Amino acid sequence: MADIDGRARERADRRDRAVRAAVEQGLLGPDAAVAGLLDVTGIRESAAALRAAFDAVTAPGTPVLHAFAVKATPLVPVVRLLHEAGIGAEVASPGELALARAAGVPPARTVLDSPAKTPAELREALALGVAVNADNPQELERLDALVCSAPARSPLGLRVNPQIGAGSIGATSTATRTSKFGVALRDEGAREWVVRAYAERPWLTRLHAHTGSQGIPLPLLARGVAEVYALAEEINTAVGRRQVDTIDIGGGLPVDVTSEAAEPTHDAYARVLAGRVPGLFDGRYGLVTEFGRSLLARHGTVVTRVEYAKSAGGRRIAVTHAGAQVAARTVYAPGTWPLRIAAYDAGGRPKTGPEVVQDVAGPACFSGDLLAEGRALPRLEQGDYAAALDTGAYGFAHHYAYNSLARPGVYGYVPDGAGGMAFAVVREPQTLAEVVAESGGAHASALTTLRAPGSR
Ligand SMILES: *Cc1c(COP(=O)(O)O)cnc(C)c1O
């Protein structure tokens, strides 16, 4: 525990030094008013901690694939960094599969989940040998046809929804009664259908569930896993052999965005699972996990310059360049997705001094565009910096093009050994030419020259 808190302190210290170094090196400044920063050391530590957590509870020799949910941080260098740290990729769209391939993740370490895979996507995945989890009976029929025409190298499974209920956030609760994901296990006849589906398909060897994301408490996550394990046992008993050889438990470990504390850890989760579902770890089943947020959220910070400091109706407002375009969830649902904000002075040093209740506003033209509302922080002045913490997953990598605001640059950092930080470009800031190009710039007169066929 002390060790974990020590790590959290070191991470916070690296972050402070990175902000200062980014200002000193010009990654942030008057001409670069917002940037995303990624803590490479922290990402490596989290990857190692995840692997160690499951190694500690699985029987020796158990195949375990930790597949990073690429949607959490869809950046090729991040996926490559994780791949080097022994983590595969979970992808859920053609774009995410392309990112994983560009990062060099081999098909054998890639898992494709998505509720809406087209025949072409399924064909490609099977041709590559990427593992596929079918979402529903119709998708399984498509797999039937593909497996019939050429034996698949891909491990194939079925996603089920244990329907164990929601956590505190509806939008990220995937195991509700009416969730759109997987085969709803408690619906009339569904369980029997699933067992029969496996009995009729000897090539169906995996079982998958992802019980939810942020807002799901550990015991509920563990219950989802216990349900899937029980189903795997039931299937194998019914078919009389160990047909289901791998269980994919999904991701979903929440991150406490209200504090720096490292809880809950992958280690704590693995222990809870081992206590609740010991049979899952005794070596009879291979394991796949699909963590996203818990691997990356802590290691990203979006930092923005305070362009103006003003007041309205007695409220202090820091007008910055980070709003809905880099923190869409927070801006549209601030109660559900609060962000911690850190204040830095114009030199990038942590700001001290008495706290003042203030809003941290973004640049977008609607009044709800706030990173934080009525927050007590050291008083932000023009030229200072504000940082939104824990935005490494589902944060600045998820650009929202409101107001044609350009995607900020993203930079990875490591301590340079001399008290400063070394940076690498992860993603270039988007140029205005690129903004125009993706907004139909090449088709400027498409509408003014459009005529009904036959007219002049
Ligand atoms: C989003 C998602 C994940 C990752 O969830 P986190 O909360 O980021 O760990 C894993 N598996 C599936 C199928 C998902 O949709």
Side-chain angles (χ1 to χ4, degrees):
M1 184 65 85
D3 176 42
I4 287 164
D5 286 346
R7 249 196 239 141
R9 252 196 319 280
E10 282 169 22
R11 186 178 64 222
D13 177 59
R14 278 196 302 274
R15 185 173 65 217
D16 284 348
R17 286 194 285 141
V19 172
R20 180 161 181 189
V23 172
E24 286 173 355
Q25 296 180 33
L27 300 179
L28 282 161
D31 299 323
V34 57
L37 305 180
L38 284 168
D39 179 2
V40 174
T41 312
I43 296 171
R44 286 200 173 109
E45 281 179 2
S46 283
L50 169 60
R51 294 179 60 192
F54 279 79
D55 282 351
V57 296
T58 43
T62 306
V64 181
L65 170 64
H66 298 292
F68 173 61
V70 171
K71 78 165 182 281
T73 312
L75 295 166
V76 173
V78 169
V79 179
R80 166 75 61 92
L81 176 65
L82 288 169
H83 169 50
E84 268 202 24
I87 308 288
E90 186 265 353
V91 299
S93 71
E96 288 179 2
L97 177 55
L99 297 191
R101 297 186 72 193
V105 182
R109 299 189 60 78
T110 305
V111 179
L112 174 65
D113 300 321
S114 134
K117 306 176 203 80
T118 64
E121 283 175 70
L122 290 170
R123 249 194 320 276
E124 188 195 8
L126 266 56
L128 289 169
V130 164
V132 175
N133 289 312
D135 179 84
N136 58 65
Q138 292 181 345
E139 190 178 346
L140 208 48
E141 281 174 21
R142 284 183 173 171
L143 286 180
D144 284 340
L146 288 169
V147 169
C148 220
S149 62
R153 286 179 299 141
S154 299
L156 300 174
L158 181 69
R159 178 168 183 173
V160 294
N161 168 12
Q163 289 171 299
I164 52 169
S168 62
I169 305 175
T172 54
S173 295
T174 48
T176 57
R177 194 171 59 79
T178 57
S179 160
K180 72 173 177 181
F181 296 107
V183 175
L185 217 45
R186 294 186 184 189
D187 282 9
E188 178 91 41
R191 205 175 175 95
E192 297 70 27
W193 179 85
V194 169
V195 174
R196 225 176 321 117
Y198 276 80
E200 290 164 357
R201 294 171 181 81
W203 42 265
L204 213 46
T205 57
R206 290 190 171 187
L207 193 60
H208 173 226
H210 168 65
T211 306
S213 206
Q214 189 74 346
I216 308 284
L218 241 52
L220 191 62
L221 280 176
R223 223 182 112 200
V225 174
E227 298 266 344
V228 182
Y229 169 76
L231 178 60
E233 293 280 280
E234 183 179 333
I235 292 167
N236 286 345
T237 302
V239 301
R241 66 188 186 95
R242 306 218 58 78
Q243 179 175 331
V244 176
D245 61 19
T246 300
I247 298 183
D248 182 338
I249 64 170
L253 190 67
V255 171
D256 176 5
V257 295
T258 65
S259 88
E260 197 71 55
E263 303 288 312
T265 60
H266 290 117
D267 190 54
Y269 183 41
R271 279 169 206 286
V272 166
L273 286 180
R276 181 82 160 72
V277 202
L280 183 57
F281 300 95
D282 64 13
R284 289 175 303 136
Y285 290 100
L287 274 178
V288 177
T289 74
E290 305 173 344
F291 296 102
R293 181 188 314 278
S294 56
L295 273 170
L296 254 295
R298 290 286 189 200
H299 307 306
T301 307
V302 62
V303 189
T304 178
R305 194 160 173 275
V306 177
E307 194 67 49
Y308 300 106
K310 58 194 275 190
S311 83
R315 173 66 58 84
R316 290 280 306 177
I317 304 167
V319 180
T320 78
H321 292 272
Q325 93 275 28
V326 289
R329 280 182 169 172
T330 297
V331 165
Y332 287 109
T336 308
W337 302 103
L339 285 173
R340 281 186 301 145
I341 306 289
Y344 296 89
D345 68 17
R349 287 169 293 260
K351 205 157 185 188
T352 51
E355 295 195 334
V356 180
V357 170
Q358 53 200 311
D359 290 356
V360 181
C365 296
F366 63 101
S367 52
D369 189 42
L370 302 172
L371 285 185
E373 186 172 10
R375 190 73 60 85
L377 290 169
R379 183 178 166 122
L380 286 164
E381 304 286 0
Q382 186 173 39
D384 286 348
Y385 291 90
L389 311 186
D390 305 330
T391 47
Y394 307 102
F396 55 74
H398 292 61
H399 189 78
Y400 169 50
Y402 200 92
N403 273 141
S404 301
L405 289 160
R407 289 184 185 87
V410 176
Y411 309 94
Y413 58 85
V414 292
D416 67 4
M421 285 288 166
F423 290 96
V425 175
V426 171
R427 181 181 78 189
E428 298 278 359
Q430 192 179 28
T431 64
L432 292 184
E434 287 165 342
V435 171
V436 171
E438 74 170 30
S439 305
H443 310 283
S445 54
L447 302 180
T448 50
T449 58
L450 180 64
R451 298 284 181 274
S455 74
R456 295 193 299 133

